[in-house]
Amino acid sequence: FGQIYVGETFRSYISVHNHTPSTTRHVVVKAELRTQVSNITLLDTTASPIAQFPSKGNQDYIVEHPLTEAGAHTLICTVMYFDDVLQEEKSFRKVFKFPVNNPLSIKTVK
């Protein structure tokens, strides 16, 4: 992610691609930004899932959120879908950790 500081806006490009040889159904994409203090939902397509996601299909999203806390941040991307071959719901998750730094630090010396 590089360097990012409190006061900047976090932006991320999320791309979901169907690598399977068949169409998947009812695809839901979620993205959350977790800090030590809060859990922010950046994206949740539960209310309007992708009904039919064809083989080799692609869906892109851009999420953003202003950063107000310094420290460890984690972007968690989750995809849930129905597998027609196995007749069951499946999901997978990708996790990306990055630090958010203070843009200015003042230290006093005695």
Side-chain angles (χ1 to χ4, degrees), residues 20-37:
T20 68
S22 60
T23 296
T24 56
R25 293 187 300 120
H26 196 75
V27 179
V28 174
V29 181
K30 294 183 180 184
E32 300 171 82
L33 186 60
R34 290 190 186 165
T35 70
Q36 295 173 350
V37 179

Side-chain angles (χ1 to χ4, degrees), residues 1-2 4 10-16 29-36 38-40 42-43 61 63 67 71-79 92-100:
F1 282 85
I4 192 162
F10 169 78
R11 288 183 184 86
S12 183
Y13 176 79
I14 299 170
S15 184
V16 181
V29 181
K30 294 183 180 184
E32 300 171 82
L33 186 60
R34 290 190 186 165
T35 70
Q36 295 173 350
S38 58
N39 184 18
I40 301 113
L42 303 175
L43 173 67
Y61 304 93
V63 296
L67 297 172
H73 284 59
T74 306
L75 175 65
I76 302 168
C77 300
T78 305
V79 176
F92 64 90
R93 177 181 285 189
K94 297 285 185 177
V95 177
F96 306 92
K97 295 181 179 190
F98 60 97
V100 174

Side-chain angles (χ1 to χ4, degrees), residues 30-89:
K30 294 183 180 184
E32 300 171 82
L33 186 60
R34 290 190 186 165
T35 70
Q36 295 173 350
V37 179
S38 58
N39 184 18
I40 301 113
T41 299
L42 303 175
L43 173 67
D44 186 349
T45 66
T46 302
S48 57
I50 303 168
Q52 299 287 322
F53 198 30
S55 175
K56 310 296 185 244
N58 202 67
Q59 183 67 45
D60 301 321
Y61 304 93
I62 295 175
V63 296
E64 61 181 49
H65 185 74
L67 297 172
T68 58
E69 301 173 39
H73 284 59
T74 306
L75 175 65
I76 302 168
C77 300
T78 305
V79 176
M80 296 168 280
Y81 63 97
F82 188 81
D83 186 326
D84 282 334
V85 175
L86 298 174
Q87 291 295 303
E88 66 183 16
E89 293 219 4

